[in-house]
Amino acid sequence: MTTLAYVRRMALSLPETTEQDHHGFPSFRVAGKIYATVPDAGHLHIMLPDTHVEMAIGTSPHACEELWWGKRLSGVRVTLASAQAVHLAMLLTEAWRLKAPARLGRAFPASPPATRKGTS
């Protein structure tokens, strides 16, 4: 089980992430681009391309489902109560990488901050 507090801590640990309102819901952004939103206390929307969505669902079908924005697949909807922290950290980090300027992605270590030794 993963909590919203963990999600917030993980997202805000990624370089230059800000938390801002998005139509009444929290969103996490890098360089002004949204990479995740919190639609309610039990779910997280992570903006990922199709291939990443397929891998996320294949790896964690009990926690992840397709997220549609109109007729476009826009990411994954994660049920926090069913999500493993390590998997969620990987998804958040990948979404961040895809939205972050290249200078940030190059400088950031491969493993998410919450999964590196000495953090929890």
Side-chain angles (χ1 to χ4, degrees):
M1 179 177 151
T2 305
T3 65
L4 189 51
Y6 171 82
V7 168
R8 182 169 276 115
R9 189 172 64 246
M10 171 59 213
L12 293 173
S13 73
L14 296 166
E16 297 185 25
T17 289
T18 59
E19 182 176 349
Q20 297 177 19
D21 178 76
H22 181 69
H23 304 288
F25 302 104
S27 70
F28 299 102
R29 304 168 187 236
V30 61
K33 297 177 184 175
I34 295 174
Y35 67 89
T37 62
V38 182
D40 58 60
H43 296 93
L44 179 68
H45 291 171
I46 303 175
M47 310 313 160
L48 292 167
D50 299 6
T51 54
H52 290 70
V53 170
E54 291 172 19
M55 287 189 295
I57 293 171
T59 302
S60 189
H62 57 284
C64 297
E65 61 184 277
E66 293 178 342
L67 173 64
W68 290 85
W69 183 259
K71 294 183 179 184
R72 185 176 73 85
L73 182 61
S74 61
V76 293
R77 177 176 171 90
V78 180
T79 300
L80 297 177
S82 302
Q84 293 181 354
V86 171
H87 187 242
L88 184 59
M90 290 186 322
L91 293 175
L92 274 172
T93 301
E94 188 58 24
W96 174 89
R97 273 187 201 289
L98 292 167
K99 300 287 183 171
R103 66 176 171 74
L104 287 177
R106 286 191 301 268
F108 192 66
S111 64
T115 62
R116 290 193 304 258
K117 188 174 180 172
T119 61
S120 56

